[in-house]
Amino acid sequence: MTTQEVPAPSAADPSTDPMRPRPFRLLAHRFDTDDTVTVRLEPVDGVPLAFEAGQYTMIGMLGAGEVPISISGDPAVPDLLQHTIRDVGGVTHALVRARPGDLVGVRGPYGRGWSVMDGAGGDVVLVAGGIGLAPLRPALLEILAHRHRFGRVVVLYGARTPADILYADTLDSWRSDGVDVAEIVDYGPPGYRGRVGRVTTLVPRAGFDPANTLALVCGPEIMMRYAAAALADRGVPPGRIRLSLERNMKCGIGLCGHCQLRELFICTDGPVLPWSRVEALLRVKEV
Amino acid sequence: MGVRAYPVVLPVDGVQKLIDLLRGRGLPVVGPTPRDGVIVHAPITSLADLPTGTGDDQAPGRYRLRARGDGALFGYAVPASSWKHLFLPPREVLLGDGPATDPVPVALFGVRSCDLAALDLHDRALLRRPAVDVRYARRRQGTVVVAVTCTEPSAMCFCAGLRTGPEPSAGYDVRLTELTDGGHRFLAVPGTPLGEDLLAEAGWDPAAARDVEAAADAVRDAAGRMRRAPRLDGLREDLYGAADLPHWEQVGSRCLACAGCTLVCPTCFCTTVEDTSGVRGEDARRIRVWDSCFTAAFSYLHGGSVRESIASRYRQWITHKFATWTDQFGVLGCVGCGRCTTWCPAGIDLLAELAAVRGLSAPPGDRRVTDGTETG
C-alpha cells in the first residue's frame, strides 16, 4: 500500500463530499426472521447504485446514525438497492422500523467485493453463518447469471435455529438452479429433522474439488476462522479462501481510523480479504 | 533588494513585521501564547501575545512553565496543543444546521519541526488518499507557515532520533532561528517565493558568519541535548512480533484509557461520527468529533468491542504509530514531540514502553530510565 500523490483538491463542492449521503426511498420491507428485514430502496435522484457483489454501503438516517451494511441485492439490477438488516443496535433498529416511502441516506458502495468471476472454470463454495448469508447472496446471483462457467456450486449455511434461516424460499429456488444447498442449525426444536451442529462440520464432506475451488466465507468472525481452517484442511489454497470481515466503520473511505485490523483498513482494503492475508492477524486476540 | 544570499537576519521588530505582513494579507495568524499555565496555539496579533521569556519543564506526567530571565520569544519546547485542531477540528457539523464554515487560509506562526512533520503526516493520512477528507483539504488550502528552529528541547523530546528535527527542513515559507547571545535577533531563511517576499518586506540585514555559526551551534546543541530515541532498525518487525507479550497487560494496568495522549498527539487523526436530535427527532445533525483508540466504543461491534482490554488498546496505539503507519503511509506515525508522555496522567513513558516490548532495557542513551532515577 503506497500513498498516491494526488493534487490538492480544489475548492469545496458539496456534491463531491463523500460524507454526504444520497437519499434513497424505501420501496418495500420484508421480515425475513423475527429480527431481520430485507429492504428494497430506490435512489431519489434516479442514478443507479452500481456495485460489486460483496461491497457495502454506509446506510442510515440523519439523527440516528450510519452503519456499514453489505448489499444483499442483485449486482445485475443496480437500480434496486437491497439490504438485509438485523435489528441489533440503534441505527439498525431505526432502519428496521422504516416504512415504505421513508427516506434513508446511503453512501457508497465501498470496499472490495468477492470478485466471484475469479472462480470461473472451477467449483465455488459459499459458507455462511447467520446474517452472513446476506453479503453472499449477490455473489450467488452473479454465479447463477453465469452458471455455465462454474463447476459445482455449494452453499453451506448455518443458522442459530430453524426460525433464523434467511431466504428460506430462495434456498429452494437455488436448489432448482443447480446449487447444492445444505443448511444446518445450532439448535433444533424437539422433533426437528434437519441437520444440527456447526456449519464448519459440513465442509469436510461437501462435494467440491478443493484444489480447483474458490471459497467465499461470511459470518461471525470465529465461525469464519474455523470455516477457513476447515477449507484449508481440505486443500483449498488459502489465497482462494475469501472472508468478509467486519469492524467498526464511521467513514467507509479510510479516513476515520476505526476499522483497522493491524495495517489493514477493512473499509477500503476489505471487507473481502483472502485467508492467506488475514489468518495470522485473526489469531491475535483483540487486535 | 536584488539577488540575495540567504540566510538573512531579522531584528526582533522584524518578527513583529512578519506578523503584521501576514495579517495585512488577510491571514489570521495563529501562534504560541500562554493560557491557563500552559502554552497553546491560538490567534495572535503581536509579539506581546507570545510567551516571551518563558521556558517549560516537561517530564512524564508533568509540565510546568518557568521564567527564563531573558526575552526569548521561542524559549520553550512544544506547546501543550499541536496545530491539528485548526485543520481537523475537535468537533464539526457534517450534516444539518451548524455554524457555516467557510474556511479562510491561516498563517501558522512559530511551528516547531516536529509539528511541521506532523502536518505532513496528516496530509498523507487525510489528503493524499484515494478518498480525500474534503473538510481538512479546504482548511489546509493556502496555509502559510513560519517555522522556528527548536533550540530548547524538553526532556521528553526525541525529534533528533526520528530525524524530524530540531531544524525544520521543508514545508515552511519562512524559517526562523532565534539567537539571543550577542544581541537578540533571528536568522531567517525563506522556503517559498512568498517567504522571500515576506522577508524582503519585513526588512532584513545581511547575516554575518557569526550569526550563521551561532544558529548551527544552537541546532547541534539542541540535538545533542535530546538523549532519548527509539532504536529505528527492526521497529516494525519487533512490534508485530510482540503482539502476544505479557508486557501489554502490565502497561495496560497503569494506563487509565483516558485518551489524553491521542488528543495531544499531533499525528492522531481518528474521528467518529455522532448523530444528535431533539427528543421528537427535530434539529437532527451529524457531527464529526475526535475519537481515540483508547475508548471501548472505538472498536465496538454489535455484541461488544474488539478491544475490550486496555492492554490491547495501548498495543493498538503504539503499534499504529511505530509499525502499521509505515505500511499504511510509508513513514513512522510519531514525530518525537513527547506530548503523549508529558501529558499522560499516569506518567507512562512511550519510549520506555516501546523499549520494554522490544526486550530492550531502555531507549539507547536514556540514562533517566536505565539508572532508574527520576527526573522532574
Side-chain angles (χ1 to χ4, degrees):
Chain A
M1 248 182 310
T2 53
T3 53
Q4 13 190 137
E5 295 289 334
V6 294
S10 55
D13 174 3
S15 68
T16 62
D17 177 1
M19 294 302 283
R20 179 171 290 269
R22 284 168 64 198
F24 277 62
R25 184 171 291 107
L26 196 143
L27 297 176
H29 176 280
R30 182 195 75 208
F31 271 93
D32 295 305
T33 70
D34 280 353
D35 65 357
T36 302
V37 158
T38 295
V39 293
R40 295 166 160 243
L41 305 152
E42 69 171 3
V44 171
D45 62 11
V47 180
L49 192 140
F51 70 100
E52 194 207 333
Q55 285 193 300
Y56 66 95
T57 73
M58 295 297 293
I59 182 170
M61 295 161 105
L62 181 58
E66 266 188 330
V67 285
I69 296 187
S70 293
I71 302 169
S72 64
D74 188 341
V77 189
D79 39 11
L80 180 68
L81 176 65
Q82 287 191 61
H83 280 290
T84 301
I85 300 167
R86 193 167 151 228
D87 184 357
V88 291
V91 181
T92 51
H93 188 64
L95 290 168
V96 163
R97 281 179 41 160
R99 288 294 173 265
D102 286 355
L103 290 181
V104 169
V106 174
R107 298 190 291 119
Y110 294 131
R112 295 190 183 172
W114 297 110
S115 301
V116 174
M117 295 313 290
D118 291 353
D123 297 344
V124 192
V125 180
L126 286 68
V127 187
I131 189 86
L133 186 61
L136 285 167
R137 185 170 173 264
L140 191 70
L141 294 175
E142 188 175 349
I143 292 165
L144 292 178
H146 307 89
R147 183 67 190 86
H148 61 286
R149 297 185 57 188
F150 294 87
R152 283 167 288 189
V153 179
V154 178
V155 173
L156 308 177
Y157 174 36
R160 205 175 313 157
T161 71
D164 294 311
I165 290 176
L166 290 178
Y167 314 145
D169 302 346
T170 317
L171 296 178
D172 286 336
S173 80
W174 290 345
R175 284 191 182 95
S176 50
D177 286 334
V179 179
D180 179 5
V181 181
E183 306 112 286
I184 189 165
V185 295
D186 293 341
Y187 311 102
Y192 180 67
R193 302 226 304 243
R195 294 183 202 85
V196 176
R198 304 290 183 204
V199 68
T200 48
T201 63
L202 301 177
V203 171
R205 281 173 297 164
F208 59 90
D209 171 19
N212 194 21
T213 286
L214 179 70
L216 312 178
V217 186
C218 189
E221 194 163 302
I222 186 163
M223 166 260 161
M224 290 197 285
R225 277 168 45 206
Y226 281 97
L231 289 160
D233 283 348
R234 261 211 66 185
V236 181
R240 303 270 292 170
I241 303 169
R242 295 177 184 165
L243 283 59
S244 179
L245 297 180
E246 184 180 20
R247 283 293 180 274
N248 190 338
M249 293 178 194
K250 291 295 181 185
C251 72
I253 50 177
L255 300 177
C256 80
H258 280 78
C259 67
Q260 293 175 79
L261 175 66
R262 215 177 70 176
E263 70 273 23
L264 298 171
F265 289 105
I266 296 302
C267 68
T268 50
D269 295 325
V272 177
L273 285 154
W275 180 235
S276 53
R277 182 75 183 80
V278 298
E279 178 182 4
L281 302 185
L282 294 181
R283 289 192 192 286
V284 179
K285 215 178 141 208
E286 296 185 284
V287 75
Chain B
M1 286 252 181
V3 177
R4 178 79 335 251
Y6 295 103
V8 294
V9 164
L10 278 190
V12 174
D13 65 356
V15 177
Q16 175 65 58
K17 277 188 196 146
L18 275 184
I19 297 175
D20 296 339
L21 288 166
L22 292 166
R23 285 164 49 79
R25 282 167 157 77
L27 296 164
V29 179
V30 178
T33 193
R35 180 190 292 171
D36 300 332
V38 301
I39 297 171
V40 296
H41 291 130
I44 60 166
T45 55
S46 80
L47 293 187
D49 294 322
L50 298 183
T52 304
T54 305
D56 55 13
D57 291 319
Q58 300 191 31
R62 187 173 195 280
Y63 175 101
R64 296 289 185 278
L65 296 184
R66 59 178 163 76
R68 290 171 53 93
D70 65 11
L73 302 183
F74 300 105
Y76 54 90
V78 284
S81 63
S82 71
W83 304 86
K84 68 178 176 181
H85 60 283
L86 298 174
F87 307 110
L88 187 67
R91 175 190 157 92
E92 69 180 315
V93 176
L94 296 180
L95 292 175
D97 292 339
T101 48
D102 203 6
V104 293
V106 62
L108 312 184
F109 188 83
V111 185
R112 306 276 157 166
S113 193
C114 54
D115 284 345
L116 207 47
L119 214 50
D120 177 60
L121 292 190
H122 270 193
D123 288 352
R124 287 173 189 250
L126 301 172
L127 219 50
R128 293 179 229 148
R129 298 292 298 280
V132 171
D133 183 332
V134 294
R135 291 170 181 78
Y136 178 88
R138 244 176 271 162
R139 294 195 175 87
R140 193 69 179 85
Q141 231 163 15
T143 309
V144 177
V145 173
V146 177
V148 290
T149 301
C150 194
T151 55
E152 293 287 349
S154 84
M156 295 298 97
C157 290
F158 56 101
C159 68
L162 296 182
R163 300 176 199 118
T164 52
E167 184 177 61
S169 58
Y172 54 79
D173 294 283
V174 173
R175 183 184 74 205
L176 302 175
T177 305
E178 184 167 32
L179 302 171
T180 46
D181 287 345
H184 196 186
R185 66 208 185 282
F186 293 82
L187 198 71
V189 179
T192 59
L194 172 67
E196 294 200 33
D197 290 349
L198 290 169
L199 286 178
E201 291 170 45
W204 43 259
D205 298 316
R210 69 177 185 102
D211 300 320
V212 178
E213 278 163 30
D217 284 348
V219 170
R220 208 173 307 115
D221 178 57
R225 276 151 62 198
M226 283 182 257
R227 307 306 300 257
R228 298 154 51 81
R231 200 181 68 192
L232 295 178
D233 58 294
L235 193 48
R236 175 176 168 276
E237 293 69 24
D238 285 358
L239 279 164
Y240 285 169
D244 291 322
L245 281 192
H247 183 80
W248 298 117
E249 301 294 336
Q250 202 265 5
V251 62
S253 71
R254 284 176 283 135
C255 172
L256 308 174
C258 72
C261 51
T262 57
L263 301 180
V264 295
C265 176
T267 77
C268 277
F269 62 85
C270 290
T271 53
T272 190
V273 175
E274 295 172 354
D275 279 33
T276 63
S277 72
V279 287
R280 287 180 206 85
E282 77 282 11
D283 296 330
R285 279 178 207 180
R286 183 159 295 163
I287 295 161
R288 180 165 79 169
V289 298
W290 286 358
D291 203 359
S292 171
C293 54
F294 280 90
T295 70
F298 188 84
S299 63
Y300 184 81
L301 292 172
H302 66 89
S305 296
V306 174
R307 296 182 204 105
E308 290 281 1
S309 70
I310 295 178
S312 72
R313 296 180 215 155
Y314 193 88
R315 180 185 65 191
Q316 165 64 23
W317 181 66
I318 204 168
T319 304
H320 192 207
K321 293 293 178 213
F322 291 99
T324 51
W325 206 296
T326 313
D327 287 329
Q328 293 166 348
F329 306 118
V331 285
L332 286 180
C334 175
V335 295
C337 74
R339 287 185 179 97
C340 56
T341 302
T342 294
W343 292 97
C344 176
I348 296 172
D349 183 340
L350 170 77
L351 290 188
E353 301 310 326
L354 195 54
V357 295
R358 301 174 80 193
L360 307 171
S361 58
D366 184 358
R367 274 172 270 146
R368 189 185 55 79
V369 176
T370 45
D371 66 11
T373 56
E374 283 277 302
T375 53

